[in-house]
Every structure is written in C-alpha cells, then in structure tokens.
Amino acid sequence: MGMASPGTAQNSPLAATHLAAGAKMGVWLGCALPDDFGNAAAEYRYAREMVALIDKNYRAYLSFTGPDRVRYLNAILTNNIKDLRAGQGCVSLLLNPQGHILAEIETYAFADRLFCVSYAMIRERLIEWLDKYIIMDDVTLTDETARYGTLALEGPKAAAIVQDLSGIDITKFEDLTSRDGAVGSIPGRSIPCRIVKRSPGGVAGAEFVVESEKLGELWRILSGSAGKNGGGPMGYTALSGLRLAQGVPWFGYDFGEKQIPHEAGLQASHISYTKGCYTGQEIVERVRSRGQVNRQRVLLAFSGDAVPEPETLLTLEGKEVGHVTRAARIWDPTRIIGMGYARKEANAPGTVLEWSGGTATIVK
C-alpha cells in the first residue's frame, strides 16, 4: 500500500539493514519501507504489549529562520504557531484557498528557528507552496531532508527504555515536546539526537531525530534494547493496522487534497479557532458555522477475512454512499478494520454498509 510505485519510491537509508534482517520491503507513504520482518502479527503485539522499533524515514525536514518566521508560518498554517514555546511542537494543515488539504505539517519551535516535519513524497511541491508565500517576509527556508532521519520506539516499555538509554523521562512531557539528548552509554560514542514525545494510543513513546549518517548505529542500539525487552522491529503492515485500531488517519491515504479538514475529522486536532487568519480559513469557518459536511471520515469493521483495497466502493441498499481509504488486519482479536468516507445519510455508528467482499459496519 503506497503513494508511489517501487520504481519511483525513495529508499529508507536503512533498506540494506532491513533486507539483511530478512525484511520484506514495500512502498509506504511514497517510500520503500519494511512491510514486515517475517511476522506481522508478532510485530503488532510488540507495540501493544512490549516495545516496537519503527523506521520513520518517509519524512521531509524544513527549517525556517529569520525575524519574520513565526508571523509567516502562523499566517499560512491552521494551528497556532506564534504561541509555541521553545521545545514545543504542534500539528497543522496547509490548505489551499478553497480549504482543501495540501499537507500535514508538524512545527517545532527552537530559539533560533522553526523546524517543520512533513512527507518526502510531497517535498518538492511543499517547498514550492511554502516558498510562494514568502513575499515581503524576512524568512529563509532551508531543505534539510537529506540531513536528518527518524526512528521511533512505542509500546508499554518504550518510556523506560528511553530513560535507560538517554536519561530523559518522557512521561513528564506533553506530546510533541522535544529535548536534545544522546543515546548510548560509552563516553565519546553517544549519538546526539532530538527526542520527541509521542503517545499513540495514549501510551508514551519517543521519536529520535538524528543526523542521517548516525541512523545505522542508532538502529542497532535501539534494536538491541527492544530485543532485551521482548520486542523488536515493526513493519508497516502491522503499523497500518495499529494506527487504524487507534483511530489515527494517515495523510495521503485517509485524507489529502480531495478533503477539507471537517470531512477528514481533523478540526479538533489540527486547527486553532482563535489564532487569526490563515490560508483557507474562510472555508473552515463557513463549514464550522454550518455544522455539517456532506461526507465524513468513518471507522469501519469488515466481515470476513478479506482486506478491501483502497477506493473500494461502499453501498447502502444498492446505492453508492462512500469508499474505503485504507484497511488492514489486526490481531487483538484477529479481524479486519479500516477507514473510509461515507455520506451523511449513511455514516451513523452501527450502520451496515456493503462492499464487494461482504459488509462494513461503521463504528465509533
């Protein structure tokens, strides 16, 4: 499942390491990343019960410097950038003037710059979109995608491992708070990194943003610690299922340029209604005041054992009412779940829709 064919996908810098470990590679988020390391069900359980190590090298990294950087980004992104304190981050959307979603962007505040994280699959277009808004602003945009990479630990044992390896207690932070740290206990050989707290499913975990040349060494350290704690590396077959179980939509799969924020269900997490003007705000406010959209992202539980493909049609009494965006198998218990869009007359929880392979029940 991906946004590009394998022939055009950007390889993870760790592709050779993964292949040597027996991983099956696929295309996810436009990049060549592991489908699995031999047992997707076990990898799913790592994240649920112990700890999972994830290669997140599908990202684009952009830095903004200059005295107008805060005012500039705050005027084009949907969330509140101007009130971020050093070390804090937030997730926003970049919209076009019609309110459609061009990008999902995390912004982190530092004393001397703003650091934005998005997706490598839209990097070139994203830079073009952002650059065109720099008109009279004293802002410098620097593409640092080649410089950095990201690995993540998540699961019930992740926080303890992070503290053991870095001395940083992530449980004391808010989500998307970051701290400079280092991983490794050998003097002179510790790996400097930026540690970001994330809590998917409500369980504290961490991302490690590191210089690209240190990714292999950091992977070895984190993999060893995960293995000692009963976990291991996790591929994207299991990760996709886990994110669906957590109700987390993916940019490029579950929302994108065809949707506005309220259709995608992102109005509470990605938008500030008090920050002032930004590109696309008029549409967002109009939809909020109207209180309803014609279609909305929904969670789905599928009958049977088949996994529907993206764009599979959903019907109600023979009438097309929506489509599937992403579906996957999960193992707690084993079943097929997914996301999709359904029209307002067919998106109430408990509604049973049909697809070519069975039924799809809308769940909360």
Side-chain angles (χ1 to χ4, degrees):
M1 179 185 293
M3 293 297 294
S5 68
T8 61
Q10 170 183 303
N11 278 323
S12 163
L14 297 173
T17 299
H18 299 329
L19 289 169
K24 176 186 174 184
M25 302 295 287
V27 180
W28 298 87
L29 300 159
C31 297
L33 291 160
D35 281 339
D36 61 69
F37 291 85
N39 189 336
E43 295 160 28
Y44 184 89
R45 286 192 291 271
Y46 290 160
R48 283 296 209 192
E49 300 172 11
M50 285 85 74
V51 63
L53 170 61
I54 305 164
D55 179 350
K56 290 194 171 181
N57 287 297
Y58 55 78
R59 294 176 160 185
Y61 305 95
L62 307 176
S63 283
F64 295 84
T65 55
D68 296 334
R69 63 187 184 274
V70 174
R71 189 208 62 78
Y72 156 75
L73 275 180
N74 200 61
I76 61 174
L77 299 181
T78 58
N79 221 332
N80 187 351
I81 308 301
K82 65 182 176 63
D83 289 342
L84 289 176
R85 300 187 302 273
Q88 282 188 321
C90 70
V91 61
S92 303
L93 300 170
L94 176 67
L95 307 178
N96 66 16
Q98 293 73 43
H100 286 257
I101 300 167
L102 299 178
E104 182 182 44
I105 300 174
E106 293 174 4
T107 303
Y108 297 89
F110 298 92
D112 59 344
R113 70 194 193 282
L114 292 172
F115 187 66
C116 288
V117 180
S118 192
Y119 297 81
M121 63 184 175
I122 59 167
R123 180 183 63 84
E124 292 183 2
R125 287 188 297 154
L126 178 60
I127 291 172
E128 290 178 5
W129 291 329
L130 293 171
D131 191 57
K132 78 175 184 179
Y133 288 109
I134 302 176
I135 303 172
M136 301 296 291
D137 304 283
D138 189 353
V139 177
T140 300
L141 187 168
T142 304
D143 181 7
E144 300 198 85
T145 302
R147 180 179 177 185
Y148 294 109
T150 299
L151 303 179
L153 289 176
E154 63 180 77
K157 297 185 178 181
I161 293 173
V162 173
Q163 185 161 15
D164 180 59
L165 292 175
S166 69
I168 294 176
D169 184 1
I170 59 173
T171 64
K172 298 184 182 300
F173 301 158
E174 296 179 358
D175 265 23
L176 299 187
T177 297
S178 65
R179 293 288 185 274
D180 286 323
V183 171
S185 58
I186 301 175
R189 289 186 57 188
S190 295
I191 302 172
C193 53
R194 191 76 175 174
I195 298 174
V196 183
K197 181 187 179 182
R198 306 190 76 97
S199 302
V203 179
E207 292 178 346
F208 302 81
V209 182
V210 65
E211 299 275 352
S212 294
E213 63 267 22
K214 297 290 187 181
L215 277 167
E217 186 178 356
L218 181 60
W219 178 270
R220 287 190 290 274
I221 292 172
L222 297 180
S223 181
S225 291
K228 290 176 183 176
N229 284 273
M234 180 186 200
Y236 278 69
T237 297
L239 183 61
S240 178
L242 180 65
R243 290 293 183 263
L244 288 170
Q246 294 165 338
V248 177
W250 276 359
F251 174 78
Y253 294 82
D254 307 308
F255 64 96
E257 291 188 52
K258 294 180 180 179
Q259 286 81 37
I260 61 174
H262 286 76
E263 290 175 331
L266 303 175
Q267 64 271 22
S269 56
H270 290 58
I271 294 174
S272 168
Y273 292 99
T274 60
K275 57 165 280 184
C277 296
Y278 56 85
T279 303
Q281 182 198 26
E282 181 180 350
I283 303 300
V284 171
E285 287 295 335
R286 187 184 306 165
V287 173
R288 183 170 72 140
S289 63
R290 190 174 64 188
Q292 197 172 42
V293 289
N294 290 327
R295 59 173 182 163
Q296 200 157 26
R297 179 174 59 84
V298 293
L299 297 174
L300 300 163
F302 297 95
S303 63
D305 195 50
V307 179
E309 293 292 328
E311 302 301 324
T312 295
L313 295 181
L314 299 171
T315 62
L316 180 64
E317 297 178 352
K319 178 184 177 182
E320 180 186 331
V321 293
H323 69 278
V324 177
T325 57
R326 182 166 54 108
R329 188 182 314 278
I330 62 171
W331 292 272
D332 56 352
T334 301
R335 61 195 191 279
I336 310 299
I337 62 173
M339 285 187 185
Y341 284 85
R343 294 187 59 81
K344 61 183 180 182
E345 67 269 21
N347 64 18
T351 303
V352 180
L353 306 178
E354 295 181 340
W355 66 288
S356 56
T359 62
T361 301
I362 295 175
V363 297
K364 289 186 179 180

